[in-house]
Amino acid sequence: MRRGRFPENTGGMDQPDRIHLRDYILSAEIGAFQTERGQPQRLRFNIDVELASHVVGVNDEVDRILSYDILTGAVAAGLADRRYDLLETLAEKIAAQILAHPRAAQVSVTVEKLDRIPGALGVTLVRRQARVEADPVRAPIRVIFHGRDLALPDGAVALVPDAPGLPLPQGGNLREVELLALDQAAWALAGHLGLTVADSRTELDWAATEGRAVVWAPARMVRDVAGLAAEPQALALWLAERLGASRLDWALPEGAPEPAVPTGFCIPTARL
């Protein structure tokens, strides 16, 4: 091939972008033979994902790409689902989980047993979107509005900070100023509680999967959401609905009225 020319099979077009997971080794009980029952063995996972579109113009925004956590999370979800006799069944489950993401167009999943022979025994499956039955399952998360002095419940929690109550600069884009003030309040609340701050859907999904509590900084996710006021209680309702939260709790000061919940809001709410 002469310098400066594309390979013939590309037709002058860019190849699809890909992300991958290489040599990811976990132990699990798997296999159809009696000698494999009750005996965890090492499995090696190699996953290659062809993206549905090129990673162009994402402005370094994590929510606009396919996160690597989707790959490791699909492996974890597959292993947690059941005990498998066949590597093929596990690989199919992992492929379906990844292809449930709209940014994944095709996936190659290789799963190998490393303890059966001196080498590796395994299988490779290649699947395209809409060729497998996707079964997306998001870990449940609980949204709590405000909680400076709250004893946090167990499990995954997204805390929504209250307005800081400070005078805000006037002029310019007031909504943007209000959102940045809420982000500042999030960092202050996280520092008070010893938690981390999450400002993207990717980080919130990770917190849900890990069963962690985080404080949500809303500006990044809601900046371009038309019609959504930069008002903490409205943001808490929006976040709970967006995440499909298991419940929304109001941690309100004594005597404060419970916020009105819009008609059609189907997530259980309660006052703490």
Side-chain angles (χ1 to χ4, degrees):
M1 182 180 70
R2 288 184 293 176
R3 184 187 299 272
R5 294 189 60 185
F6 291 98
E8 283 186 22
N9 63 353
T10 68
M13 302 290 289
D14 288 341
Q15 291 292 298
D17 292 345
R18 289 179 167 84
I19 67 169
H20 64 260
L21 178 68
R22 295 278 186 266
D23 299 325
Y24 188 53
I25 298 176
L26 297 173
S27 291
E29 185 185 335
I30 192 169
F33 294 103
Q34 288 298 323
T35 54
E36 295 179 289
R37 296 187 178 276
Q39 300 293 329
Q41 56 184 302
R42 290 178 303 149
L43 300 177
R44 179 166 61 200
F45 299 87
N46 283 282
I47 300 173
D48 189 275
V49 183
E50 178 183 307
L51 303 181
S53 59
H54 290 109
V55 183
V56 177
V58 298
N59 296 324
D60 210 31
E61 293 282 346
V62 67
D63 281 346
R64 297 179 65 184
I65 55 94
L66 181 66
S67 170
Y68 303 107
D69 288 339
I70 298 295
L71 309 190
T72 56
V75 173
L79 290 174
D81 186 52
R82 50 172 284 197
R83 185 197 183 281
Y84 297 92
D85 285 344
L86 301 177
L87 293 178
E88 288 84 348
T89 311
L90 173 58
E92 186 80 22
K93 177 75 175 181
I94 292 169
Q97 189 81 5
I98 293 170
L99 290 174
H101 198 288
R103 293 186 178 90
Q106 178 172 293
V107 61
S108 170
V109 179
T110 298
V111 187
E112 299 171 295
K113 296 180 181 180
L114 302 181
D115 297 329
R116 292 291 292 173
I117 62 172
L121 299 169
V123 62
T124 297
L125 300 182
V126 179
R127 298 289 185 268
R128 291 198 65 81
Q129 201 171 66
R131 293 296 299 273
V132 296
E133 290 187 8
D135 183 24
V137 177
R138 292 195 181 276
I141 191 168
R142 186 172 174 177
V143 173
I144 297 178
F145 167 63
H146 189 50
R148 176 168 292 276
D149 300 312
L150 178 70
L152 290 175
D154 293 333
V157 174
L159 282 167
V160 179
D162 198 0
L166 300 173
L168 299 178
Q170 298 301 303
N173 187 333
L174 181 59
R175 182 175 183 273
E176 180 72 15
V177 171
E178 291 171 338
L179 288 174
L180 291 174
L182 287 170
D183 275 10
Q184 188 176 34
W187 283 99
L189 180 59
H192 178 79
L193 297 175
L195 301 176
T196 58
V197 171
D199 68 354
S200 67
R201 177 61 184 266
T202 300
E203 290 174 302
L204 289 167
D205 284 344
W206 171 82
T209 301
E210 294 291 317
R212 297 186 179 222
V214 294
V215 181
W216 180 50
R220 184 178 182 182
M221 286 180 63
V222 307
R223 182 172 284 115
D224 298 324
V225 179
L228 178 61
E231 192 279 316
Q233 296 174 1
L235 293 173
L237 289 163
W238 179 88
L239 181 67
E241 200 160 43
R242 181 72 178 268
L243 296 179
S246 56
R247 60 182 291 172
L248 169 61
D249 296 307
W250 303 106
L252 300 168
E254 188 70 29
E258 188 170 321
V261 177
T263 302
F265 188 82
C266 59
I267 295 170
T269 62
R271 182 172 185 143
L272 291 179

